[in-house]
Amino acid sequence: MEFFKTLTLPQVLAHLTDSGITAAHFETVSLLDALGRIAASDCLAPEDMPMFDRSTVDGYAIIGRESAGASEAIPGFFQLAGESLMGEAIEQQLQSGQAVYVPTGGMLPPGADAMVMIEFTEKMDHETLLVYKPSPPGAHISYRGDDVRKGDIVVAAGRRIDSYDIGMLAGAGYDTVCVYRKPKVAVISTGDEVRPVGEPITFGQIYDVNGYTISARLLELGCDVVEKALVSDNYEMLRETVETSLAKADIVILSGGSSVGTRDFTARVIESFEGGRLITHGIAIKPGKPTIVGKIDDKFIIGLPGHPASALIIFNAVVKPLIYQLMPHAPTPFVIEALLSENVHASPGKDTFQMVQLYREGSSWHCKPIYAKSGMMSLLATASGYIHMTNEKEGLSAGTAVDVYLLQEVRL
Amino acid sequence: MEFFKTLTLPQVLAHLTDSGITAAHFETVSLLDALGRIAASDCLAPEDMPMFDRSTVDGYAIIGRESAGASEAIPGFFQLAGESLMGEAIEQQLQSGQAVYVPTGGMLPPGADAMVMIEFTEKMDHETLLVYKPSPPGAHISYRGDDVRKGDIVVAAGRRIDSYDIGMLAGAGYDTVCVYRKPKVAVISTGDEVRPVGEPITFGQIYDVNGYTISARLLELGCDVVEKALVSDNYEMLRETVETSLAKADIVILSGGSSVGTRDFTARVIESFEGGRLITHGIAIKPGKPTIVGKIDDKFIIGLPGHPASALIIFNAVVKPLIYQLMPHAPTPFVIEALLSENVHASPGKDTFQMVQLYREGSSWHCKPIYAKSGMMSLLATASGYIHMTNEKEGLSAGTAVDVYLLQEVRL
């Protein structure tokens, strides 16, 4: 038997980090198109927000201390002195004893320092307003810069822009946003037994599960899938497809059979290129050992294991961090503490990932390990996340509180 | 003062549910385009998966009991009888004493009932295999139908299809998927003070925050934003824009100033249409009271409050359930238990929503209420979710374990 160079997961990740791979280029997109993209630079507020002292209610702007002591029995008397129109600046100085109507969101006249809600007022005649309740200085006012100060960061570089961020950017007046270009990834499925979906298959064949799962996962992370190919276990064809892919992609992902033969093809193809070198032929990780990481010049080629569940674990553990280097952002993995429903075994000396299904009982989360024979897809349909046992641990017993990493990205 | 018809949140939701609104039509899209869409019908497995008994290792297919007692010292002897090729059916019947090479994922020959891993074998010569370890019947085999049985549901109607579901569908051979048509929604921002992003503004004016936040939120939920308009507080222009929108949208969302005047425009516009009627003019909810729900024939018109945070709370509480009726699916809201960092007050008699920010301390989640004056956007940037106090409660004290509903959808 041939002995392969095998690295641990931290060693592989160190290779990715030290690789000198730099972020992809920037591009400027219109505000709504920035949804889901990664901000490439800090977006600053060009002005204070709000830009002016505004009312948070429908009512009258007054000098607050002049309403002191006002009550139903003994109302305060104010002189009606016009109104502040929505969308317009008001320059008229409020004089002592005056009240100016201001709708919600409207600008306060200079000199006013409080709003009295319309509910607590009554017009005695065209010139006189009765105020039935005191409004202390500052009441119902949102001051200039209260929300965001000029120069504050509205959306920080590296943030995945969601609908709530779009709102912040709109508030600051951005109509375009500078985001990282989408990393371009090629996905190549290999295997004589692998057939394209939509065609009939016969005994001995399977459909191209990994090609689709990995492509969909890439789209979810915000990548461009620039190539999606399916080649049989033929060295020349595989090499040719990798060559074409290298010309247009930042990363090439191969996923194929897990048999030794298939893996050898991948390794040979990588080494056949000038500037091609194998970084690892196997990772000390369970599941996912038969993973190949190589580089051709400055581009990474990752050979994922053939089993769909293993391929996805490696995708999340290795490919995702690589993508995050091309469009730098550091999402906090969403971790939830849950109680193990049964004992779980780990493989000493390996990073062990165990898929689990989360369920809630009363107010606590519980998790149930999901076991499946190698190659089963149905694992994908039922798993909500995984627990990660580092090589110190031999296993965990039922009832232990464990950290469950969700399979999908969550905003906090 | 005019008194408005005000409903509670449950009453409004009952209106939406009883509205007789039916699901939008179906459409068939290619597999990768189904990512993020809602399955409109159950997708069944057309065949058993795997379709055949397959090996989960590289090794030799044998009759398991014939390896009983094999050891390093006293290996079992088997007659090498060919190999099973990847992607091809093998019809050759395995005879007693024979061993057939099968790669990972390859089909077992009829008659074989166990796989012995290649690591525990040695070829003595071209005809004879030594087996150093017993492989009991069933060892390292994934049986036909082990993963999914013919007719099983692979992806159920109403599921939001994610990358993992795409994998399941690919495994079952689907190249197209029947999904709900995207609900068409028109978003109209109103207000004399509201200006489009990208243009300079002056004192008294603000940018169109809600138009963008709501549009982005709709895109996140999988809707088509068929109209995004901004109109000033002009009855005729608003009515005209609503009329145009009704012609192309399933739902019309207005968001505007929170002043009484602006709300009146919306109510008047709804009632001006033949078949137009106001369902509620205000909801007993905090924040978000100045919400208008109306209907023109069979289409809902929702007038959201002007404050961005209130608009989003109402969007999640009212508009989202409505969208879920057009493309029926019932995502479980992702709830996490967290300890309140400080006392929170509720408004008796109202459904009270309090925005909070989640943070993890040790292994527990904590949440900190976020307070902001009305109209502040920065609330959007910092909130991770909200707690929902029903009208029974008067408030909650620090240290209480509360359910936090995340602002974004999470797959479990």
Side-chain angles (χ1 to χ4, degrees):
Chain A
M1 273 188 65
E2 194 185 338
F3 287 94
F4 301 125
K5 177 180 170 189
T6 298
L7 300 182
T8 64
L9 180 58
Q11 285 171 329
V12 170
L13 293 178
H15 261 285
L16 304 186
T17 317
D18 301 341
S19 63
I21 275 202
T22 48
H25 294 132
F26 305 155
E27 61 182 331
T28 297
V29 296
S30 72
L31 183 54
L32 269 182
D33 289 338
L35 186 67
R37 304 291 294 271
I38 312 294
S41 57
D42 290 338
C43 303
L44 309 180
E47 297 291 346
D48 286 336
M49 297 194 283
M51 264 176 78
F52 51 91
D53 298 346
R54 55 194 298 219
S55 172
T56 64
V57 295
D58 290 337
Y60 292 88
I62 56 168
I63 293 166
R65 65 180 153 72
E66 297 183 348
S67 68
S71 68
E72 291 273 347
I74 310 164
F77 284 70
F78 286 81
Q79 182 207 344
L80 285 164
E83 67 177 306
S84 175
L85 296 172
M86 286 305 277
E88 292 185 18
I90 178 166
E91 284 166 22
Q92 170 198 336
Q93 181 80 26
L94 188 93
Q95 306 296 332
S96 172
Q98 288 187 333
V100 166
Y101 180 78
V102 186
T104 307
M107 182 171 169
L108 261 75
D113 69 0
M115 283 295 300
V116 55
M117 290 171 78
I118 197 166
E119 291 89 324
F120 303 116
T121 65
E122 193 178 350
K123 274 188 186 169
M124 198 172 76
D125 53 42
H126 286 305
E127 287 173 0
T128 315
L129 184 78
L130 302 183
V131 170
Y132 294 118
K133 205 180 164 184
S135 260
H140 309 304
I141 297 173
S142 182
Y143 289 104
R144 174 179 185 147
D146 251 1
D147 203 354
V148 178
R149 295 221 158 261
K150 180 175 177 173
D152 277 359
I153 293 174
V154 173
V155 168
R159 177 154 182 99
R160 184 177 292 276
I161 296 167
D162 67 14
S163 53
Y164 305 95
D165 299 315
I166 295 280
M168 286 297 287
L169 291 165
Y174 282 85
D175 59 340
T176 59
V177 189
C178 180
V179 297
Y180 286 112
R181 174 170 73 62
K182 295 182 173 196
K184 295 173 182 168
V185 188
V187 179
I188 306 170
S189 303
T190 62
D192 289 338
E193 79 282 20
V194 184
R195 304 298 309 151
V197 296
E199 289 186 7
I201 56 172
T202 60
F203 292 103
Q205 303 181 322
I206 55 166
Y207 286 114
D208 179 19
V209 175
N210 284 352
Y212 281 95
T213 320
I214 299 303
S215 296
R217 197 78 192 91
L218 287 165
L219 294 175
E220 280 179 342
L221 291 179
C223 297
D224 251 350
V225 178
V226 292
E227 169 84 53
K228 192 187 161 305
L230 172 56
V231 298
S232 57
D233 286 322
N234 175 304
Y235 174 81
E236 286 307 328
M237 279 176 61
L238 184 57
R239 194 186 185 286
E240 202 173 295
T241 310
V242 168
E243 191 163 23
T244 319
S245 297
L246 278 172
K248 49 186 169 182
D250 302 311
I251 303 173
V252 177
I253 299 178
L254 296 156
S255 94
S258 284
S259 69
V260 176
T262 312
R263 275 182 282 157
D264 282 348
F265 271 135
T266 304
R268 274 178 54 205
V269 164
I270 292 172
E271 289 181 322
S272 75
F273 284 89
E274 205 184 301
R277 64 193 183 90
L278 219 54
I279 292 171
T280 192
H281 197 311
I283 301 184
I285 190 171
K286 188 190 168 189
K289 185 175 179 304
T291 299
I292 287 173
V293 179
K295 234 174 146 180
I296 298 175
D297 293 327
D298 60 343
K299 291 182 179 174
F300 276 96
I301 317 252
I302 315 277
L304 298 178
H307 295 323
S310 310
L312 270 167
I313 296 228
I314 298 298
F315 181 91
N316 287 331
V318 177
V319 180
K320 210 162 95 168
L322 187 54
I323 288 166
Y324 284 179
Q325 267 188 276
L326 289 174
M327 43 179 193
H329 64 299
T332 322
F334 193 83
V335 183
I336 206 174
E337 198 182 56
L339 303 172
L340 263 180
S341 66
E342 52 193 86
N343 296 346
V344 173
H345 298 283
S347 303
K350 285 183 179 181
D351 274 84
T352 307
F353 291 87
Q354 174 61 53
M355 291 284 197
V356 296
Q357 187 172 31
L358 280 166
Y359 59 99
R360 210 163 187 238
E361 243 176 47
S363 64
S364 351
W365 285 99
H366 295 249
C367 67
K368 183 182 153 54
I370 307 175
Y371 296 103
K373 294 189 190 173
S374 293
M376 284 205 184
M377 303 180 316
S378 46
L379 198 60
L380 308 180
T382 41
S384 358
Y386 55 83
I387 55 179
H388 181 180
M389 291 170 279
T390 51
N391 48 32
E392 284 77 43
K393 297 199 182 144
E394 290 186 359
L396 297 162
S397 44
T400 308
V402 294
D403 278 348
V404 176
Y405 294 79
L406 293 196
L407 283 181
Q408 285 204 328
E409 295 69 33
V410 176
R411 165 204 155 107
L412 275 196
Chain B
M1 274 189 67
E2 197 185 335
F3 286 94
F4 301 126
K5 178 179 170 188
T6 299
L7 300 181
T8 65
L9 180 59
Q11 286 171 328
V12 170
L13 293 178
H15 261 284
L16 303 185
T17 320
D18 300 343
S19 64
I21 275 203
T22 48
H25 294 130
F26 305 157
E27 61 181 333
T28 297
V29 296
S30 72
L31 183 54
L32 269 183
D33 289 337
L35 185 67
R37 304 291 295 270
I38 311 294
S41 57
D42 290 339
C43 302
L44 309 180
E47 298 290 347
D48 286 337
M49 297 193 283
M51 265 177 77
F52 51 91
D53 297 346
R54 57 195 297 222
S55 172
T56 63
V57 296
D58 290 336
Y60 291 89
I62 57 169
I63 292 166
R65 62 180 154 73
E66 296 183 350
S67 68
S71 68
E72 290 273 349
I74 310 164
F77 283 70
F78 287 81
Q79 181 206 343
L80 285 165
E83 67 176 306
S84 176
L85 296 172
M86 286 305 278
E88 291 185 18
I90 178 165
E91 283 166 22
Q92 169 199 334
Q93 181 80 26
L94 187 95
Q95 306 296 331
S96 173
Q98 289 186 333
V100 166
Y101 180 78
V102 186
T104 307
M107 181 170 169
L108 262 77
D113 68 359
M115 284 296 299
V116 56
M117 290 170 77
I118 197 166
E119 291 89 322
F120 303 116
T121 66
E122 192 176 353
K123 273 186 184 171
M124 199 171 75
D125 53 42
H126 286 306
E127 288 175 0
T128 314
L129 184 78
L130 302 183
V131 169
Y132 293 118
K133 204 180 166 183
S135 259
H140 308 304
I141 298 173
S142 181
Y143 289 106
R144 175 179 183 145
D146 250 1
D147 203 355
V148 178
R149 295 223 159 261
K150 181 176 176 170
D152 277 358
I153 293 174
V154 173
V155 168
R159 179 158 180 96
R160 184 179 292 275
I161 296 167
D162 66 17
S163 54
Y164 306 94
D165 299 315
I166 294 281
M168 288 295 288
L169 291 165
Y174 282 85
D175 60 340
T176 59
V177 189
C178 180
V179 296
Y180 286 111
R181 173 171 73 63
K182 296 183 174 194
K184 296 175 184 167
V185 187
V187 179
I188 306 170
S189 303
T190 61
D192 290 337
E193 80 282 19
V194 184
R195 304 299 309 151
V197 295
E199 290 185 7
I201 55 172
T202 60
F203 292 103
Q205 303 182 323
I206 55 168
Y207 286 114
D208 179 19
V209 175
N210 284 351
Y212 281 95
T213 319
I214 299 303
S215 297
R217 198 78 193 92
L218 287 165
L219 294 174
E220 280 179 342
L221 291 179
C223 297
D224 252 349
V225 178
V226 292
E227 169 84 52
K228 191 185 162 306
L230 172 55
V231 297
S232 56
D233 287 322
N234 174 306
Y235 174 82
E236 285 307 327
M237 280 176 60
L238 184 58
R239 193 185 185 285
E240 202 174 292
T241 310
V242 168
E243 191 163 22
T244 320
S245 297
L246 279 170
K248 49 185 170 184
D250 302 312
I251 303 173
V252 177
I253 299 179
L254 295 158
S255 94
S258 285
S259 68
V260 175
T262 312
R263 274 182 282 158
D264 282 347
F265 270 135
T266 305
R268 275 178 54 204
V269 164
I270 293 171
E271 290 182 322
S272 76
F273 285 90
E274 203 183 302
R277 65 194 181 88
L278 219 53
I279 292 170
T280 192
H281 197 309
I283 302 183
I285 190 171
K286 188 190 168 186
K289 185 175 182 301
T291 300
I292 288 174
V293 178
K295 235 175 146 178
I296 297 175
D297 293 329
D298 61 343
K299 291 181 179 174
F300 276 96
I301 317 253
I302 316 277
L304 298 178
H307 295 323
S310 310
L312 271 165
I313 295 227
I314 298 297
F315 181 91
N316 287 332
V318 177
V319 180
K320 209 162 99 169
L322 186 56
I323 288 166
Y324 285 179
Q325 266 188 277
L326 289 174
M327 45 179 193
H329 64 299
T332 322
F334 192 83
V335 182
I336 207 174
E337 198 183 54
L339 303 172
L340 261 182
S341 66
E342 52 193 88
N343 296 345
V344 173
H345 298 281
S347 302
K350 285 184 178 179
D351 275 83
T352 306
F353 292 87
Q354 174 62 52
M355 291 283 196
V356 297
Q357 187 173 29
L358 280 166
Y359 59 98
R360 212 164 185 237
E361 244 176 47
S363 63
S364 351
W365 285 99
H366 295 248
C367 68
K368 182 181 153 53
I370 307 175
Y371 296 103
K373 295 189 189 174
S374 293
M376 284 206 186
M377 303 179 319
S378 46
L379 199 60
L380 308 180
T382 41
S384 0
Y386 55 83
I387 56 178
H388 180 178
M389 292 170 278
T390 51
N391 49 31
E392 282 78 46
K393 295 196 184 145
E394 290 186 0
L396 297 162
S397 44
T400 308
V402 293
D403 279 349
V404 176
Y405 294 80
L406 294 196
L407 282 181
Q408 285 204 328
E409 294 68 34
V410 177
R411 164 203 156 107
L412 277 195

